[in-house]
């Protein structure tokens, strides 16, 4: 059963969350009950094949083994890190954590479909984060297994994020909200869920079924070929936003009802004034993950070892690494890789311009330049999604 | 730990002397510091103060102003 994909899922979630909401309004802890419904919901999400209402054994066994593997790895590295801190062990830990995901991405090219299930990348992102933060000495205390598994597999966000941070998640998990705090959470949560209905089931649905399916070529003479592709580029970009922002609203809303303030994923991305700002507003939990755990680590490591003199060169290599990985994570098809390269180039060109402009003061800050910047950024972003869509090649 | 030296390092990395005067300025909101600047700052702390600040320890909520950075460094050192 795919989360938030049909009415049945919302109905089951609503029924399952009823006791959570009642406990919350009474100011009581619903922690134990939430752990219980997470197990039930996970069993439905991974174990139930909606096509013929049978049990999906392959996915069930895959997720169980995969979780066991990640938990053993995190706990193992955590107990190792108490006394020792070799870089090689850390690197092996990270490589092992991403190995299952890499196999899932690569093996289909050799016609091998051994395992693979919904959410494997997002669980991997959380697991890698645990190892990185353990390395940095952020995990002073023991990590209880129940909480760790709850964090890795928290059902509202298990399939596609947003990617929470352990420290933040753990704080919410431990704290029982007061009646007033919980009322606020429910208010915001329900608001989010209804915004999600508007985004995903009305706007994204209409954009897709009423417009996108006819583009770029079946416009019955209304648009020429170029016009058809141009319209496709813009409509696809809007569809992508409403579809994924809608999903994220559901995930955040349901998290709120369970007392977890899952971070937001989108913050009005299309009003960005430049490409850097765009990545701080679009799929934020993912881009922050790549920023913190790929780009910053790489740049810091390169600078510390002083292998390349020029710091900006290091930063630009870091951007290529970040966006190539992000592209490859979407899929190993050519258009995803080119999309990654395109984003890296945009950000580097903007960085060069920004530094030049800081000295020359060519592009001054006023409402006109602001509006033009937003317009230019929007068009570059949409062209990026046009590459991403695979319609170009 | 030399507080003035820390502030000077921050000002050098931000390339802006406003940091020397306004010590409760949110460096990220003002656009003075980004992820690249953060790395430069961490490298400078390690080179010039001998304090090793791991990347994930430096979060943008608690390390946002010159005064807060000094405070966080004092806790670490």
């Amino acid at each position: 059963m795919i989360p938030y994909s049909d009415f049945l899922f919302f109905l089951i979630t609503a029924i399952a969350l009823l006791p959570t909401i009642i406990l919350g309004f009474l100011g009581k802890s619903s922690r134990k009950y939430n752990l219980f419904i997470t197990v039930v919901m996970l069993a439905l999400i991974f174990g139930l094949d909606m096509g013929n209402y049978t049990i999906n054994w392959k996915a069930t066994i895959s997720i169980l083994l995969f979780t066991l593997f990640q938990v053993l790895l995190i706990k193992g590295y955590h107990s190792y890190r108490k006394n020792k801190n070799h870089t090689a062990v850390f690197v092996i830990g990270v490589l092992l954590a991403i190995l299952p995901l890499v196999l899932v991405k690569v093996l289909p090219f050799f016609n091998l479909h051994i395992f693979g299930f919904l959410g494997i990348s997002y669980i991997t992102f959380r697991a890698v984060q645990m190892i990185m933060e353990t390395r940095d000495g952020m995990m002073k205390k023991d990590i209880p297994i129940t909480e760790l598994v709850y964090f890795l597999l928290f059902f509202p966000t298990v399939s596609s994020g947003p990617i929470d941070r352990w420290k933040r998640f753990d704080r919410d998990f431990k704290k029982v909200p007061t009646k007033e705090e919980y009322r606020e959470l429910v208010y915001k949560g329900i608001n989010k869920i209804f915004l999600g209905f508007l985004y995903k089931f009305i706007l994204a649905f209409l954009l897709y079924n009423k417009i996108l399916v006819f583009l770029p070529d079946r416009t019955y003479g209304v648009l020429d070929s170029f016009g058809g592709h141009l319209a496709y580029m813009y409509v696809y970009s809007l569809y992508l936003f409403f579809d994924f922002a809608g999903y994220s609203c559901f995930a955040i809303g349901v998290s709120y009802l369970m007392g977890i303030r899952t971070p937001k994923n989108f913050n009005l991305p299309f009003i960005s004034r430049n490409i850097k700002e765009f990545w701080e507003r679009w799929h934020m939990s993912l881009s922050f993950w790549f920023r913190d755990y790929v780009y910053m680590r790489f740049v810091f490591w390169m600078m510390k070892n002083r292998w390349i003199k020029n710091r900006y060169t290091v930063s630009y290599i870091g951007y290529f690494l970040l966006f190539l990985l992000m592209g490859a994570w979407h899929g190993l098809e050519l258009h995803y890789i080119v999309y990654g390269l395109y984003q890296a180039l945009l950000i580097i060109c903007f960085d060069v311009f920004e530094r030049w402009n800081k000295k020359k003061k060519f592009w001054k800050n006023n409402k006109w330049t602001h509006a033009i910047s937003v317009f230019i950024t929007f068009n570059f972003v949409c062209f990026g999604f046009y590459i991403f869509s695979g319609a170009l090649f | 730990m030399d507080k003035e030296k820390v502030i000077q390092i921050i000002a050098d990395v931000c390339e802006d002397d406003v940091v020397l005067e306004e010590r409760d300025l949110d460096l990220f909101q003002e656009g003075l510091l980004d992820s690249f600047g953060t790395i430069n700052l961490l490298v400078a702390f390690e080179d010039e103060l001998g304090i090793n600040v791991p990347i994930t320890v430096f979060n943008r909520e608690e390390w946002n102003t010159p005064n807060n950075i000094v405070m966080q460094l004092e806790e670490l050192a």
Side-chain angles (χ1 to χ4, degrees), chain A residues 132-133 136 138 167 276 280 291-293 295-297 299-300 303-304 306 311-312 315 319 358, chain B residues 14-15 32 34-36 38-40 42-44 46-47 52-57 59-60 62:
Chain A
M132 297 254 185
E133 303 212 338
D136 281 359
M138 295 279 282
K167 224 178 129 183
K276 270 189 192 170
E280 286 170 13
R291 179 194 73 193
D292 292 352
Y293 302 119
Y295 170 84
M296 289 181 72
R297 294 236 156 216
V299 174
F300 185 70
M303 279 190 193
K304 231 174 90 172
R306 294 190 169 76
R311 293 191 164 191
Y312 296 108
S315 169
Y319 281 131
K358 209 175 170 181
Chain B
C14 294
E15 294 173 347
L32 291 167
D34 57 7
S35 39
F36 179 67
T38 302
I39 298 296
N40 283 309
L42 299 187
V43 172
E46 200 166 319
D47 288 350
N52 175 23
V53 186
I55 295 170
T56 45
V57 171
N59 65 64
R60 295 180 182 202
E62 291 166 329

Side-chain angles (χ1 to χ4, degrees), chain A residues 55-70:
Chain A
I55 295 172
N56 188 344
W57 286 109
K58 199 171 147 186
T60 309
I61 293 168
S62 296
I63 183 81
L64 286 174
L65 287 177
F66 175 74
T67 309
L68 181 70
F69 171 76
Q70 296 290 5

